[in-house]
Amino acid sequence: APIVFILIQTFQVVLLIIPSSVFTISGGYIFGVTLGTIYSLIGIMIGSIFVFYISRKLGRSFVERIINKKELEHFDVFFKKRGNIALFAARIIPVLFPTNAVSFSAGLTPMKFKDYIMFSFLGFIPSLFVLAFFGKELSHGINLDMIIILSVLGFGILAYLFRHEIKVFFIKEIKEYEKILEEDIKKYI
């Protein structure tokens, strides 16, 4: 079961189908908080490393066929301005920054491979732990801890729905970049 779960987590990063949070919650439910977090971390790291490597090898034209061009430009600015800290922040807040999009975008940067692994690893741990904890609590029914976790999850869903607005608020460079793009477009019209 752990190997199958790790493979599922790996493939969900690569195939971009279902958010990893669904599987991480399931991992917490099935394996408990510690093992659910560890198995999720292993699978997500393997998938993220693979996506980073593919992105680096196949280049921007390949990534632009997978990731929305505007979102990719936002990541360009984010990584250029914040460097490795941008990767760490994106990993801690996966609702705003999807794992696969971050991995593809990071692969296009001059970021060192060892830095990518370290900042991804450290950034994934908190969110995976919380999601696995949520899954574990589901196996015990609803209680005060569950209500708190559901509140956090609800906040996460809201953050996802308004992710662009939040990105613009927290990353003013994106807004400035969009303004420059608009001015460039007006020059050609």
Side-chain angles (χ1 to χ4, degrees), residues 34-134:
T34 305
L35 290 177
T37 301
I38 291 170
Y39 297 154
S40 291
L41 184 60
I42 292 169
I44 289 173
M45 282 300 299
I46 292 169
S48 296
I49 290 168
F50 179 76
V51 168
F52 177 86
Y53 178 78
I54 292 298
S55 176
R56 186 150 283 179
K57 288 297 176 190
L58 299 180
R60 189 170 193 90
S61 61
F62 173 77
V63 174
E64 285 179 347
R65 286 185 256 152
I66 297 169
I67 304 298
N68 175 292
K69 189 174 181 178
K70 187 173 183 176
E71 187 171 13
L72 190 56
E73 289 170 350
H74 289 175
F75 280 117
D76 289 342
V77 172
F78 191 42
F79 282 122
K80 185 176 182 180
K81 296 285 184 181
R82 305 282 185 243
N84 294 339
I85 297 302
L87 177 63
F88 181 74
R91 295 307 194 197
I92 284 183
I93 313 169
V95 173
L96 296 179
F97 306 100
T99 302
N100 48 20
V102 172
S103 299
F104 276 116
S105 300
L108 300 175
T109 69
M111 181 181 301
K112 293 179 181 175
F113 185 65
K114 68 179 180 68
D115 290 342
Y116 174 78
I117 291 174
M118 180 180 68
F119 284 99
S120 289
F121 180 83
L122 294 174
F124 278 135
I125 292 172
S127 62
L128 295 178
F129 178 82
V130 168
L131 291 169
F133 181 76
F134 176 70

Side-chain angles (χ1 to χ4, degrees), residues 15-16 20 56 61 124 179:
L15 299 177
L16 320 166
S20 65
R56 186 150 283 179
S61 61
F124 278 135
K179 187 176 179 180

Side-chain angles (χ1 to χ4, degrees), residues 78 93 95-97 155-172 174:
F78 191 42
I93 313 169
V95 173
L96 296 179
F97 306 100
F155 177 75
I157 291 169
L158 286 174
Y160 178 76
L161 293 174
F162 297 102
R163 67 187 178 276
H164 181 71
E165 290 82 1
I166 294 169
K167 283 180 192 178
V168 170
F169 178 77
F170 284 111
I171 309 164
K172 68 179 183 178
I174 290 176

